Amino acid sequence: MNRKAIFPGSFDPFTIGHHDIVMRGLEIFDEIIIGIGRNSTKQATFSLEERLEAIQRVFEHEPRVRTVLYSGLTVDFAADCGAQFILRGVRSVQDFEYERSMAEANKQLSGIETVLLYTRPEYAHISSTLVRDLHLHNKDIQPYLPTTK
Ligand code: PNS
């Protein structure tokens, strides 16, 4: 069986924490499709095109990872991709509750399973929100972004 997962998120921006989850996900799944969700309620700092290009560059030498934009429900995106799993990372108890309700809703909607990986402790404080704040205050955000090969 070709185990395929989607890794959905806003990725505004995609951090070293997200990167670590994808790399570890590749030990579980044959293929991962990173889906940048068009979130109508969130005002983004980085444009969809900037985010797409940045993530595509990071994984340009990893044929098992693709990055695409999607709109609408995550379960519909997963079905369009032919993915059997949703991959997400969890940093904290707060994340856990949010992830639990999303996983339950998605399971009810389509039967899809969500696989959660704990963020490595050294990355647990890193969030897109933190990186955006630093960026808005003209601080160097490179240490929080994955390097391009
Ligand atoms: O990492 P984020 O920004 O918290 O990702 C949130 C995302 C994109 C996974 C979530 O908002 C989502 O799935 N949006 C699409 C709409 C949807 O499917 N909603 C029902 C989920 S319970």
Side-chain angles (χ1 to χ4, degrees):
M1 176 182 169
N2 188 41
R3 287 183 179 269
K4 206 189 275 192
I6 58 161
F7 183 52
S10 308
F11 307 124
D12 187 30
F14 189 87
T15 70
I16 48 177
H18 294 129
H19 180 253
D20 183 55
I21 298 293
V22 174
M23 296 314 288
R24 288 161 54 206
L26 286 173
E27 290 174 20
I28 304 171
F29 304 109
D30 299 303
E31 199 183 330
I32 296 177
I33 300 151
I34 301 173
I36 308 174
R38 291 194 183 90
N39 194 327
S40 49
T41 56
K42 272 193 197 168
Q43 180 62 45
T45 297
F46 299 94
S47 73
L48 285 168
E49 290 68 29
E50 278 179 297
R51 286 180 266 164
L52 180 66
E53 278 173 25
I55 303 172
Q56 282 176 338
R57 262 201 310 277
V58 170
F59 294 105
E60 69 186 336
H61 301 301
E62 180 43 80
R64 294 193 293 140
V65 176
R66 276 195 293 132
T67 310
V68 297
L69 302 173
Y70 77 97
S71 47
L73 290 178
T74 294
V75 290
D76 292 339
F77 169 60
D80 291 345
C81 294
Q84 311 92 339
F85 303 96
I86 296 174
L87 172 66
R88 294 277 292 173
V90 183
R91 289 166 306 186
S92 61
V93 172
Q94 287 77 12
D95 275 2
F96 180 82
E97 285 301 327
Y98 172 59
E99 294 303 329
R100 190 176 57 80
S101 57
M102 274 208 298
E104 278 174 9
N106 287 331
K107 175 85 178 160
Q108 278 216 334
L109 282 166
S110 75
I112 196 162
E113 291 291 358
T114 296
V115 174
L116 299 178
L117 290 181
Y118 288 108
T119 300
R120 275 159 49 165
E122 61 268 38
Y123 295 158
H125 66 292
I126 300 172
S127 64
S128 295
T129 308
L130 166 81
V131 179
R132 277 200 305 277
D133 279 351
L134 294 175
H135 178 70
L136 289 173
H137 294 90
N138 301 312
K139 298 287 184 207
D140 180 19
I141 60 170
Q142 291 310 315
Y144 301 101
L145 305 182
T147 48
T148 44
K149 298 277 152 24

